[in-house]
Amino acid sequence: MRADKPVDLMASVAPVVAALVDSGRDLARVRVVCDWVQYRDNFRDVVDARPILSAPGRGTVPTPAGIRQEDLEVAVDVRRGGEVALGGLAAACLRDGSGERAYLEDWGLGSAGCVWAFNALYWTALELWEKASGRGYEQALPGGESDARNLDSARGVINDLFDVWDSLASSAALPEELVVVELGVGNGHQAKVFLDEFRRADQARGGDYYRRLHYLMCDYSQHVLDLAGETVADHAGRVSSVTLDATRPLTSLGFLKYKVFLVYVSNVYDNLPTDEVAQIGGRTYGVETRAYLPAAAAATLADSVSATPDQVPALVHKLLRLGPQLLTDAAPAHFPDVDTAVTFWRQAWSMLRLEERYAPLAGLDQYAVTGQFTGEALRPLLESGADVRMHVSNGAVASFADSLMLLHPYGRLICHDIFVTGVEGYRSQFRGPGKYDGSVVNWVNGPLLAHVGRRKGFDVHYEPFRHKSAGNIITMTAQARD
Protein backbone atom coordinates (compact mmCIF):
# COMPACT_ATOMS: atom_id res chain seq x y z
CA MET A 1 0.00 0.00 0.00
CA ARG A 2 3.07 2.25 0.31
CA ALA A 3 4.62 1.20 -2.98
CA ASP A 4 5.26 3.52 -5.92
CA LYS A 5 2.10 2.08 -7.45
CA PRO A 6 0.02 1.36 -4.34
CA VAL A 7 -2.81 -1.13 -4.17
CA ASP A 8 -6.25 0.46 -3.95
CA LEU A 9 -7.44 -1.73 -1.11
CA MET A 10 -11.01 -0.45 -1.15
CA ALA A 11 -11.30 -1.12 -4.88
CA SER A 12 -9.93 -4.64 -4.34
CA VAL A 13 -11.93 -5.61 -1.26
CA ALA A 14 -15.09 -3.50 -1.00
CA PRO A 15 -16.82 -5.05 -4.06
CA VAL A 16 -16.17 -8.52 -2.64
CA VAL A 17 -17.62 -7.56 0.74
CA ALA A 18 -20.63 -6.01 -1.00
CA ALA A 19 -21.16 -9.24 -2.94
CA LEU A 20 -20.99 -11.18 0.33
CA VAL A 21 -23.61 -8.91 1.91
CA ASP A 22 -25.91 -9.36 -1.10
CA SER A 23 -25.39 -13.15 -1.10
CA GLY A 24 -27.35 -13.55 2.13
CA ARG A 25 -24.60 -15.65 3.74
CA ASP A 26 -24.00 -15.61 7.48
CA LEU A 27 -21.09 -13.18 7.53
CA ALA A 28 -19.96 -14.47 10.92
CA ARG A 29 -19.04 -17.73 9.16
CA VAL A 30 -17.02 -16.18 6.34
CA ARG A 31 -13.39 -15.06 6.24
CA VAL A 32 -11.90 -12.85 3.53
CA VAL A 33 -8.17 -13.09 2.80
CA CYS A 34 -6.12 -10.87 0.50
CA ASP A 35 -2.95 -11.91 -1.33
CA TRP A 36 -0.59 -10.21 -3.71
CA VAL A 37 0.01 -13.11 -6.11
CA GLN A 38 3.37 -12.11 -7.52
CA TYR A 39 3.56 -14.98 -10.03
CA ARG A 40 1.92 -13.62 -13.17
CA ASP A 41 1.40 -17.21 -14.31
CA ASN A 42 -0.40 -19.09 -11.56
CA PHE A 43 -3.34 -21.38 -10.82
CA ARG A 44 -5.70 -18.86 -9.17
CA ASP A 45 -8.69 -16.83 -10.24
CA VAL A 46 -8.85 -13.21 -9.10
CA VAL A 47 -11.53 -14.27 -6.62
CA ASP A 48 -11.76 -17.81 -5.22
CA ALA A 49 -14.36 -19.26 -2.85
CA ARG A 50 -12.90 -22.04 -0.68
CA PRO A 51 -15.27 -24.16 1.43
CA ILE A 52 -14.12 -24.91 4.96
CA LEU A 53 -15.44 -28.38 5.69
CA SER A 54 -16.56 -29.61 9.10
CA ALA A 55 -15.51 -33.19 8.33
CA PRO A 56 -12.85 -34.77 6.09
CA GLY A 57 -14.77 -36.54 3.33
CA ARG A 58 -17.05 -39.07 4.99
CA GLY A 59 -17.51 -39.31 8.71
CA THR A 60 -17.38 -36.60 11.34
CA VAL A 61 -14.56 -35.00 13.23
CA PRO A 62 -15.88 -33.56 16.51
CA THR A 63 -15.38 -29.83 16.91
CA PRO A 64 -13.29 -29.16 20.04
CA ALA A 65 -14.70 -26.69 22.56
CA GLY A 66 -13.76 -23.09 21.84
CA ILE A 67 -12.99 -23.69 18.16
CA ARG A 68 -14.35 -21.03 15.82
CA GLN A 69 -16.64 -22.38 13.13
CA GLU A 70 -16.42 -20.95 9.63
CA ASP A 71 -17.61 -22.48 6.40
CA LEU A 72 -16.18 -20.28 3.66
CA GLU A 73 -12.99 -18.44 2.81
CA VAL A 74 -13.07 -15.87 0.03
CA ALA A 75 -9.62 -15.11 -1.39
CA VAL A 76 -8.81 -12.03 -3.46
CA ASP A 77 -5.70 -11.42 -5.54
CA VAL A 78 -5.32 -7.68 -5.01
CA ARG A 79 -2.66 -7.43 -7.72
CA ARG A 80 -5.29 -8.22 -10.34
CA GLY A 81 -8.31 -6.92 -8.43
CA GLY A 82 -8.32 -3.56 -10.16
CA GLU A 83 -8.22 -5.13 -13.63
CA VAL A 84 -11.66 -6.82 -13.54
CA ALA A 85 -15.28 -6.16 -12.62
CA LEU A 86 -14.63 -7.51 -9.16
CA GLY A 87 -18.15 -7.26 -7.77
CA GLY A 88 -19.68 -9.30 -10.58
CA LEU A 89 -16.89 -11.84 -10.44
CA ALA A 90 -17.28 -12.27 -6.69
CA ALA A 91 -21.07 -12.53 -6.97
CA ALA A 92 -20.82 -15.26 -9.60
CA CYS A 93 -18.23 -17.10 -7.52
CA LEU A 94 -20.44 -16.99 -4.44
CA ARG A 95 -23.61 -17.82 -6.35
CA ASP A 96 -22.61 -21.04 -8.07
CA GLY A 97 -19.18 -21.86 -6.64
CA SER A 98 -17.53 -23.89 -9.36
CA GLY A 99 -19.68 -22.63 -12.23
CA GLU A 100 -19.07 -24.39 -15.53
CA ARG A 101 -15.67 -26.01 -15.27
CA ALA A 102 -14.03 -29.00 -16.93
CA TYR A 103 -12.60 -30.93 -13.99
CA LEU A 104 -9.50 -33.05 -14.52
CA GLU A 105 -9.57 -34.89 -11.18
CA ASP A 106 -11.39 -35.38 -7.90
CA TRP A 107 -10.49 -33.67 -4.63
CA GLY A 108 -7.23 -34.66 -2.95
CA LEU A 109 -4.16 -33.28 -1.20
CA GLY A 110 -2.00 -31.14 -3.42
CA SER A 111 1.02 -33.43 -3.83
CA ALA A 112 -1.18 -36.08 -5.46
CA GLY A 113 -2.75 -33.62 -7.92
CA CYS A 114 -2.32 -33.73 -11.67
CA VAL A 115 -0.35 -30.46 -11.70
CA TRP A 116 2.59 -32.61 -10.62
CA ALA A 117 1.96 -34.98 -13.52
CA PHE A 118 2.27 -31.91 -15.75
CA ASN A 119 5.46 -31.02 -13.90
CA ALA A 120 6.93 -34.50 -14.46
CA LEU A 121 5.94 -34.41 -18.14
CA TYR A 122 7.77 -31.11 -18.54
CA TRP A 123 11.03 -32.66 -17.41
CA THR A 124 10.64 -35.92 -19.33
CA ALA A 125 9.67 -34.16 -22.58
CA LEU A 126 11.70 -31.00 -22.02
CA GLU A 127 13.32 -31.08 -25.46
CA LEU A 128 9.92 -30.84 -27.17
CA TRP A 129 8.79 -27.98 -24.91
CA GLU A 130 11.99 -26.02 -25.48
CA LYS A 131 11.72 -26.50 -29.23
CA ALA A 132 8.16 -25.16 -29.20
CA SER A 133 8.91 -22.24 -26.85
CA GLY A 134 12.18 -21.28 -28.52
CA ARG A 135 14.03 -20.93 -25.22
CA GLY A 136 15.78 -23.07 -22.63
CA TYR A 137 14.04 -23.67 -19.32
CA GLU A 138 16.68 -21.80 -17.29
CA GLN A 139 15.64 -18.61 -19.04
CA ALA A 140 12.31 -18.87 -17.18
CA LEU A 141 14.09 -18.32 -13.86
CA PRO A 142 14.21 -14.77 -12.45
CA GLY A 143 17.30 -13.21 -13.99
CA GLY A 144 17.47 -15.92 -16.65
CA GLU A 145 19.99 -18.17 -14.88
CA SER A 146 20.66 -20.07 -11.67
CA ASP A 147 22.52 -18.26 -8.90
CA ALA A 148 24.51 -21.43 -8.24
CA ARG A 149 26.71 -20.80 -11.29
CA ASN A 150 28.15 -17.74 -9.53
CA LEU A 151 31.95 -18.02 -9.57
CA ASP A 152 32.52 -16.47 -6.15
CA SER A 153 30.02 -18.87 -4.63
CA ALA A 154 31.72 -21.88 -6.21
CA ARG A 155 35.14 -20.63 -5.12
CA GLY A 156 34.02 -20.36 -1.49
CA VAL A 157 32.57 -23.88 -1.50
CA ILE A 158 35.74 -25.31 -3.06
CA ASN A 159 38.06 -23.57 -0.61
CA ASP A 160 36.03 -24.97 2.30
CA LEU A 161 36.27 -28.45 0.78
CA PHE A 162 40.03 -28.14 0.38
CA ASP A 163 40.40 -27.09 4.02
CA VAL A 164 38.46 -30.16 5.18
CA TRP A 165 40.44 -32.45 2.91
CA ASP A 166 43.77 -30.98 3.95
CA SER A 167 42.86 -31.63 7.58
CA LEU A 168 41.81 -35.23 6.90
CA ALA A 169 44.87 -35.86 4.74
CA SER A 170 47.16 -34.68 7.51
CA SER A 171 45.83 -37.49 9.70
CA ALA A 172 45.74 -40.07 6.87
CA ALA A 173 41.93 -40.16 7.05
CA LEU A 174 41.12 -38.89 3.56
CA PRO A 175 39.63 -41.51 1.19
CA GLU A 176 41.16 -41.97 -2.24
CA GLU A 177 37.95 -41.01 -4.06
CA LEU A 178 36.51 -37.56 -3.33
CA VAL A 179 32.81 -37.58 -4.18
CA VAL A 180 30.62 -34.56 -4.99
CA VAL A 181 26.95 -34.97 -5.95
CA GLU A 182 24.88 -32.33 -7.71
CA LEU A 183 21.09 -32.79 -7.71
CA GLY A 184 19.30 -31.02 -10.55
CA VAL A 185 22.12 -30.14 -12.96
CA GLY A 186 20.29 -27.79 -15.30
CA ASN A 187 22.21 -27.22 -18.51
CA GLY A 188 25.52 -28.05 -16.82
CA HIS A 189 26.81 -24.50 -16.41
CA GLN A 190 26.74 -24.82 -12.62
CA ALA A 191 28.85 -27.98 -12.85
CA LYS A 192 31.22 -26.35 -15.35
CA VAL A 193 31.80 -23.33 -13.13
CA PHE A 194 32.52 -25.63 -10.18
CA LEU A 195 34.79 -27.99 -12.11
CA ASP A 196 36.75 -25.24 -13.89
CA GLU A 197 37.40 -23.43 -10.63
CA PHE A 198 38.14 -26.69 -8.80
CA ARG A 199 40.84 -27.64 -11.32
CA ARG A 200 42.33 -24.14 -11.30
CA ALA A 201 42.40 -23.94 -7.50
CA ASP A 202 43.90 -27.42 -7.20
CA GLN A 203 46.68 -26.56 -9.63
CA ALA A 204 47.37 -23.30 -7.76
CA ARG A 205 47.67 -25.15 -4.45
CA GLY A 206 49.78 -27.90 -5.96
CA GLY A 207 47.40 -30.56 -4.72
CA ASP A 208 46.16 -33.82 -6.18
CA TYR A 209 42.46 -33.43 -5.48
CA TYR A 210 41.25 -32.96 -9.06
CA ARG A 211 42.62 -36.37 -10.10
CA ARG A 212 40.72 -37.97 -7.21
CA LEU A 213 37.48 -36.09 -7.77
CA HIS A 214 34.32 -37.96 -8.78
CA TYR A 215 31.53 -35.48 -9.67
CA LEU A 216 28.08 -37.03 -10.12
CA MET A 217 25.52 -35.03 -12.08
CA CYS A 218 22.02 -36.23 -11.15
CA ASP A 219 18.72 -35.26 -12.74
CA TYR A 220 15.25 -36.57 -13.51
CA SER A 221 15.58 -35.69 -17.20
CA GLN A 222 17.94 -37.58 -19.50
CA HIS A 223 17.72 -34.70 -21.96
CA VAL A 224 19.03 -32.33 -19.28
CA LEU A 225 21.84 -34.75 -18.43
CA ASP A 226 22.82 -35.04 -22.09
CA LEU A 227 23.04 -31.26 -22.43
CA ALA A 228 24.97 -30.98 -19.18
CA GLY A 229 27.38 -33.68 -20.34
CA GLU A 230 28.22 -31.64 -23.43
CA THR A 231 28.80 -28.56 -21.28
CA VAL A 232 31.34 -30.32 -19.03
CA ALA A 233 32.96 -32.41 -21.76
CA ASP A 234 36.36 -30.95 -20.83
CA HIS A 235 36.04 -32.74 -17.47
CA ALA A 236 34.63 -36.02 -18.81
CA GLY A 237 37.14 -38.14 -16.90
CA ARG A 238 35.94 -36.73 -13.59
CA VAL A 239 32.17 -36.75 -14.22
CA SER A 240 29.39 -39.34 -14.24
CA SER A 241 25.67 -38.90 -14.90
CA VAL A 242 22.80 -40.55 -13.03
CA THR A 243 19.07 -40.31 -13.73
CA LEU A 244 17.10 -40.30 -10.50
CA ASP A 245 13.99 -39.13 -8.71
CA ALA A 246 15.10 -36.17 -6.61
CA THR A 247 12.66 -37.16 -3.85
CA ARG A 248 14.48 -40.50 -3.42
CA PRO A 249 18.19 -39.95 -4.18
CA LEU A 250 19.27 -42.78 -1.89
CA THR A 251 17.49 -45.29 -4.14
CA SER A 252 19.95 -44.61 -6.96
CA LEU A 253 22.94 -43.49 -4.89
CA GLY A 254 22.82 -45.92 -1.99
CA PHE A 255 26.29 -47.18 -2.89
CA LEU A 256 27.58 -43.74 -1.82
CA LYS A 257 26.06 -43.79 1.66
CA TYR A 258 28.29 -41.83 4.08
CA LYS A 259 30.86 -41.18 1.31
CA VAL A 260 29.79 -37.85 -0.24
CA PHE A 261 31.68 -34.72 0.83
CA LEU A 262 29.29 -32.30 -0.87
CA VAL A 263 25.67 -32.55 -1.99
CA TYR A 264 25.04 -29.47 -4.11
CA VAL A 265 21.41 -28.52 -4.85
CA SER A 266 20.08 -25.48 -6.68
CA ASN A 267 16.48 -24.60 -7.60
CA VAL A 268 15.27 -28.16 -7.11
CA TYR A 269 13.33 -28.25 -3.82
CA ASP A 270 10.93 -25.56 -5.01
CA ASN A 271 9.95 -27.83 -7.92
CA LEU A 272 9.03 -30.95 -5.90
CA PRO A 273 5.50 -32.07 -4.95
CA THR A 274 3.97 -30.52 -1.86
CA ASP A 275 0.80 -30.45 0.18
CA GLU A 276 -0.42 -27.42 2.07
CA VAL A 277 -1.83 -27.35 5.58
CA ALA A 278 -3.53 -24.57 7.53
CA GLN A 279 -4.45 -23.60 11.06
CA ILE A 280 -7.75 -21.69 11.04
CA GLY A 281 -9.53 -20.69 14.23
CA GLY A 282 -7.63 -23.25 16.30
CA ARG A 283 -8.30 -26.17 13.96
CA THR A 284 -5.88 -27.90 11.58
CA TYR A 285 -6.82 -28.48 7.95
CA GLY A 286 -5.33 -30.07 4.87
CA VAL A 287 -5.73 -27.99 1.72
CA GLU A 288 -7.43 -30.20 -0.86
CA THR A 289 -7.28 -29.26 -4.52
CA ARG A 290 -8.75 -30.32 -7.85
CA ALA A 291 -7.50 -29.14 -11.20
CA TYR A 292 -9.86 -27.76 -13.80
CA LEU A 293 -10.06 -25.81 -17.03
CA PRO A 294 -12.52 -22.89 -17.24
CA ALA A 295 -15.40 -23.73 -19.56
CA ALA A 296 -14.34 -21.23 -22.22
CA ALA A 297 -10.78 -22.51 -22.11
CA ALA A 298 -11.92 -26.12 -22.44
CA ALA A 299 -14.02 -25.17 -25.47
CA THR A 300 -11.07 -23.40 -27.10
CA LEU A 301 -8.80 -26.35 -26.40
CA ALA A 302 -11.38 -28.78 -27.80
CA ASP A 303 -11.73 -26.79 -31.05
CA SER A 304 -7.96 -26.85 -31.54
CA VAL A 305 -7.91 -30.67 -31.75
CA SER A 306 -11.31 -31.40 -33.34
CA ALA A 307 -12.84 -32.61 -30.08
CA THR A 308 -15.79 -31.70 -27.88
CA PRO A 309 -15.31 -30.01 -24.49
CA ASP A 310 -16.39 -33.13 -22.61
CA GLN A 311 -13.59 -35.08 -24.34
CA VAL A 312 -10.88 -32.70 -23.14
CA PRO A 313 -10.28 -34.16 -19.64
CA ALA A 314 -9.71 -37.65 -21.07
CA LEU A 315 -7.34 -36.27 -23.72
CA VAL A 316 -5.38 -34.37 -21.06
CA HIS A 317 -4.98 -37.51 -18.97
CA LYS A 318 -3.90 -39.46 -22.05
CA LEU A 319 -1.28 -36.77 -22.70
CA LEU A 320 -0.01 -36.97 -19.11
CA ARG A 321 0.15 -40.76 -19.23
CA LEU A 322 1.72 -41.22 -22.67
CA GLY A 323 3.50 -37.96 -23.51
CA PRO A 324 3.20 -35.97 -26.76
CA GLN A 325 4.98 -38.44 -29.03
CA LEU A 326 2.90 -41.51 -28.15
CA LEU A 327 -0.27 -39.41 -28.04
CA THR A 328 -0.16 -39.15 -31.83
CA ASP A 329 -0.44 -42.97 -32.06
CA ALA A 330 -3.13 -43.24 -29.36
CA ALA A 331 -5.40 -40.47 -30.70
CA PRO A 332 -4.46 -39.72 -34.33
CA ALA A 333 -7.86 -38.16 -35.09
CA HIS A 334 -7.08 -35.38 -32.62
CA PHE A 335 -3.28 -35.28 -32.82
CA PRO A 336 -2.04 -35.91 -36.37
CA ASP A 337 1.53 -34.95 -35.46
CA VAL A 338 3.76 -34.26 -32.45
CA ASP A 339 3.62 -30.49 -32.93
CA THR A 340 -0.16 -30.55 -32.47
CA ALA A 341 0.22 -32.60 -29.30
CA VAL A 342 2.85 -30.24 -27.89
CA THR A 343 0.67 -27.20 -28.68
CA PHE A 344 -2.26 -28.88 -26.89
CA TRP A 345 0.00 -29.58 -23.90
CA ARG A 346 1.28 -26.01 -23.70
CA GLN A 347 -2.20 -24.51 -24.03
CA ALA A 348 -3.69 -26.85 -21.42
CA TRP A 349 -0.93 -25.89 -19.00
CA SER A 350 -1.44 -22.17 -19.53
CA MET A 351 -5.20 -22.53 -18.89
CA LEU A 352 -4.95 -24.89 -15.91
CA ARG A 353 -6.46 -23.70 -12.60
CA LEU A 354 -6.83 -25.15 -9.12
CA GLU A 355 -9.95 -25.18 -6.99
CA GLU A 356 -9.30 -25.44 -3.24
CA ARG A 357 -11.08 -26.38 -0.04
CA TYR A 358 -10.08 -26.98 3.57
CA ALA A 359 -10.68 -30.46 5.03
CA PRO A 360 -10.02 -31.06 8.76
CA LEU A 361 -7.11 -33.32 9.64
CA ALA A 362 -8.22 -35.96 12.14
CA GLY A 363 -4.78 -35.82 13.76
CA LEU A 364 -1.32 -34.69 12.75
CA ASP A 365 0.07 -38.06 13.82
CA GLN A 366 -2.12 -39.68 11.15
CA TYR A 367 -0.87 -37.42 8.36
CA ALA A 368 2.31 -38.54 6.57
CA VAL A 369 4.73 -35.80 5.53
CA THR A 370 6.95 -38.56 4.10
CA GLY A 371 7.39 -42.25 4.82
CA GLN A 372 9.68 -41.29 7.70
CA PHE A 373 7.92 -38.29 9.24
CA THR A 374 4.36 -37.70 10.42
CA GLY A 375 2.57 -34.39 10.69
CA GLU A 376 3.67 -34.10 14.32
CA ALA A 377 6.74 -32.36 12.93
CA LEU A 378 4.40 -29.56 11.81
CA ARG A 379 2.76 -28.97 15.19
CA PRO A 380 5.13 -26.27 16.54
CA LEU A 381 4.81 -24.38 13.24
CA LEU A 382 1.03 -24.59 12.95
CA GLU A 383 0.46 -23.75 16.61
CA SER A 384 2.86 -20.78 16.60
CA GLY A 385 0.20 -18.13 17.12
CA ALA A 386 -2.26 -16.64 14.64
CA ASP A 387 -3.88 -18.49 11.75
CA VAL A 388 -1.42 -19.67 9.13
CA ARG A 389 -1.34 -21.60 5.87
CA MET A 390 1.94 -23.22 4.78
CA HIS A 391 3.57 -25.69 2.44
CA VAL A 392 4.57 -29.07 3.79
CA SER A 393 7.29 -29.38 1.12
CA ASN A 394 6.86 -33.17 1.16
CA GLY A 395 9.15 -33.79 -1.79
CA ALA A 396 11.83 -31.44 -0.45
CA VAL A 397 11.71 -33.06 2.99
CA ALA A 398 12.06 -36.53 1.46
CA SER A 399 14.94 -35.44 -0.77
CA PHE A 400 16.71 -33.61 2.06
CA ALA A 401 16.41 -36.48 4.55
CA ASP A 402 17.66 -38.99 1.97
CA SER A 403 20.57 -36.76 0.93
CA LEU A 404 21.77 -36.38 4.52
CA MET A 405 22.35 -40.13 4.58
CA LEU A 406 24.82 -39.77 1.71
CA LEU A 407 27.09 -37.38 3.57
CA HIS A 408 30.53 -38.29 4.86
CA PRO A 409 30.89 -37.36 8.56
CA TYR A 410 32.73 -34.25 7.37
CA GLY A 411 30.42 -33.65 4.40
CA ARG A 412 27.95 -30.82 3.80
CA LEU A 413 24.74 -30.26 1.93
CA ILE A 414 24.45 -26.83 0.31
CA CYS A 415 21.21 -25.74 -1.30
CA HIS A 416 20.33 -22.46 -3.06
CA ASP A 417 16.58 -21.99 -3.31
CA ILE A 418 13.59 -19.85 -2.30
CA PHE A 419 13.08 -20.71 1.37
CA VAL A 420 10.63 -19.37 3.89
CA THR A 421 12.91 -19.21 6.93
CA GLY A 422 10.30 -18.37 9.59
CA VAL A 423 6.62 -19.11 10.08
CA GLU A 424 5.78 -15.41 9.83
CA GLY A 425 6.94 -15.56 6.22
CA TYR A 426 3.83 -17.57 5.42
CA ARG A 427 1.57 -14.99 7.02
CA SER A 428 3.02 -12.03 5.16
CA GLN A 429 3.27 -13.07 1.51
CA PHE A 430 1.92 -15.47 -1.12
CA ARG A 431 4.41 -18.33 -1.52
CA GLY A 432 3.09 -20.26 -4.50
CA PRO A 433 2.22 -22.29 -6.36
CA GLY A 434 3.27 -20.41 -9.44
CA LYS A 435 4.15 -21.48 -12.96
CA TYR A 436 7.67 -21.37 -14.40
CA ASP A 437 7.16 -22.10 -18.07
CA GLY A 438 5.90 -25.72 -17.94
CA SER A 439 6.78 -26.52 -14.34
CA VAL A 440 5.54 -25.70 -10.83
CA VAL A 441 7.29 -23.50 -8.28
CA ASN A 442 6.62 -23.20 -4.53
CA TRP A 443 8.62 -21.64 -1.75
CA VAL A 444 10.19 -24.23 0.55
CA ASN A 445 9.31 -24.66 4.23
CA GLY A 446 12.70 -23.89 5.80
CA PRO A 447 11.67 -24.31 9.47
CA LEU A 448 10.37 -27.80 8.72
CA LEU A 449 13.59 -28.85 6.94
CA ALA A 450 15.62 -27.47 9.85
CA HIS A 451 13.51 -29.52 12.28
CA VAL A 452 14.01 -32.67 10.19
CA GLY A 453 17.75 -32.02 10.03
CA ARG A 454 18.02 -31.60 13.79
CA ARG A 455 16.16 -34.86 14.37
CA LYS A 456 18.77 -36.58 12.20
CA GLY A 457 21.70 -35.00 14.05
CA PHE A 458 22.48 -32.18 11.63
CA ASP A 459 22.81 -28.44 12.13
CA VAL A 460 20.89 -26.50 9.49
CA HIS A 461 21.70 -22.87 8.79
CA TYR A 462 20.02 -20.32 6.47
CA GLU A 463 21.47 -17.08 5.13
CA PRO A 464 20.77 -14.82 2.14
CA PHE A 465 22.78 -15.76 -0.94
CA ARG A 466 26.04 -13.93 -0.31
CA HIS A 467 27.01 -13.18 -3.87
CA LYS A 468 23.97 -11.26 -5.08
CA SER A 469 22.61 -8.13 -3.47
CA ALA A 470 19.05 -8.49 -4.79
CA GLY A 471 16.71 -11.44 -5.14
CA ASN A 472 15.04 -14.02 -2.92
CA ILE A 473 17.58 -16.85 -3.04
CA ILE A 474 18.56 -18.28 0.34
CA THR A 475 21.49 -20.61 0.98
CA MET A 476 20.82 -23.56 3.27
CA THR A 477 23.79 -25.43 4.72
CA ALA A 478 23.50 -28.71 6.63
CA GLN A 479 26.30 -30.67 8.27
CA ALA A 480 26.60 -33.22 11.04
CA ARG A 481 26.39 -31.76 14.51
CA ASP A 482 29.70 -31.74 16.43
Side-chain angles (χ1 to χ4, degrees), residues 7 47 58 65 125 137 139 148 187 204 224 273 278 298 300 308 342 359 366 433 455 457:
V7 170
V47 181
R58 296 173 184 161
Y137 78 92
Q139 292 173 280
N187 51 22
V224 166
T300 300
T308 59
V342 171
Q366 298 179 46
R455 285 181 57 175

Side-chain angles (χ1 to χ4, degrees), residues 459-476:
D459 286 325
V460 179
H461 174 69
Y462 295 98
E463 66 175 352
F465 184 65
R466 295 180 182 178
H467 308 285
K468 193 173 182 179
S469 58
N472 296 312
I473 296 298
I474 297 290
T475 299
M476 177 183 73

Side-chain angles (χ1 to χ4, degrees), residues 252-304:
S252 300
L253 303 178
F255 65 98
L256 292 174
K257 198 172 184 179
Y258 308 132
K259 296 180 180 179
V260 179
F261 280 97
L262 173 65
V263 175
Y264 208 26
V265 192
S266 181
N267 301 117
V268 173
Y269 289 168
D270 63 358
N271 187 236
L272 298 179
T274 181
D275 295 335
E276 288 188 75
V277 293
Q279 186 87 350
I280 301 174
R283 196 174 199 180
T284 304
Y285 297 86
V287 180
E288 294 185 339
T289 67
R290 58 175 173 174
Y292 70 92
L293 299 170
T300 300
L301 203 56
D303 287 343
S304 72

Side-chain angles (χ1 to χ4, degrees), residues 178-362:
L178 306 175
V179 183
V180 172
V181 169
E182 181 185 352
L183 296 181
V185 299
N187 51 22
H189 286 295
Q190 174 176 312
K192 178 172 172 54
V193 167
F194 182 93
L195 290 163
D196 286 349
E197 179 58 22
F198 188 103
R199 181 169 57 189
R200 186 207 63 76
D202 190 42
Q203 290 172 346
R205 292 172 67 132
D208 192 32
Y209 294 147
Y210 181 75
R211 179 190 63 81
R212 299 160 67 177
L213 178 68
H214 186 189
Y215 193 100
L216 276 81
M217 299 192 304
C218 306
D219 203 279
Y220 184 76
S221 168
Q222 185 59 51
H223 171 63
V224 166
L225 287 172
D226 291 342
L227 291 177
E230 295 174 6
T231 303
V232 299
D234 191 38
H235 301 278
R238 308 269 61 84
V239 178
S240 299
S241 296
V242 180
T243 56
L244 55 69
D245 180 347
T247 64
R248 298 191 298 272
L250 203 57
T251 301
S252 300
L253 303 178
F255 65 98
L256 292 174
K257 198 172 184 179
Y258 308 132
K259 296 180 180 179
V260 179
F261 280 97
L262 173 65
V263 175
Y264 208 26
V265 192
S266 181
N267 301 117
V268 173
Y269 289 168
D270 63 358
N271 187 236
L272 298 179
T274 181
D275 295 335
E276 288 188 75
V277 293
Q279 186 87 350
I280 301 174
R283 196 174 199 180
T284 304
Y285 297 86
V287 180
E288 294 185 339
T289 67
R290 58 175 173 174
Y292 70 92
L293 299 170
T300 300
L301 203 56
D303 287 343
S304 72
V305 293
S306 302
T308 59
D310 61 342
Q311 291 177 300
V312 167
L315 292 175
V316 169
H317 279 283
K318 197 167 287 189
L319 164 72
L320 296 176
R321 187 171 67 254
L322 300 176
Q325 291 176 309
L326 293 179
L327 188 60
T328 59
D329 296 327
H334 303 293
F335 305 101
D337 52 52
V338 174
D339 287 345
T340 303
V342 171
T343 299
F344 177 83
W345 168 26
R346 286 167 51 79
Q347 289 179 337
W349 175 249
S350 69
M351 299 168 176
L352 193 67
R353 298 290 182 267
L354 282 177
E355 199 171 283
E356 297 177 337
R357 71 182 186 185
Y358 296 99
L361 291 178

Side-chain angles (χ1 to χ4, degrees), residues 275-287 358-365 367 369 374-392 422-424 426-427 445 447-448 451:
D275 295 335
E276 288 188 75
V277 293
Q279 186 87 350
I280 301 174
R283 196 174 199 180
T284 304
Y285 297 86
V287 180
Y358 296 99
L361 291 178
L364 284 172
D365 60 335
Y367 166 69
V369 175
T374 72
E376 283 297 324
L378 293 161
R379 188 176 300 280
L381 308 180
L382 288 169
E383 298 179 357
S384 59
D387 291 352
V388 66
R389 173 172 165 170
M390 67 177 63
H391 298 108
V392 182
V423 178
E424 282 303 316
Y426 277 114
R427 296 190 177 105
N445 192 327
L448 180 58
H451 175 74

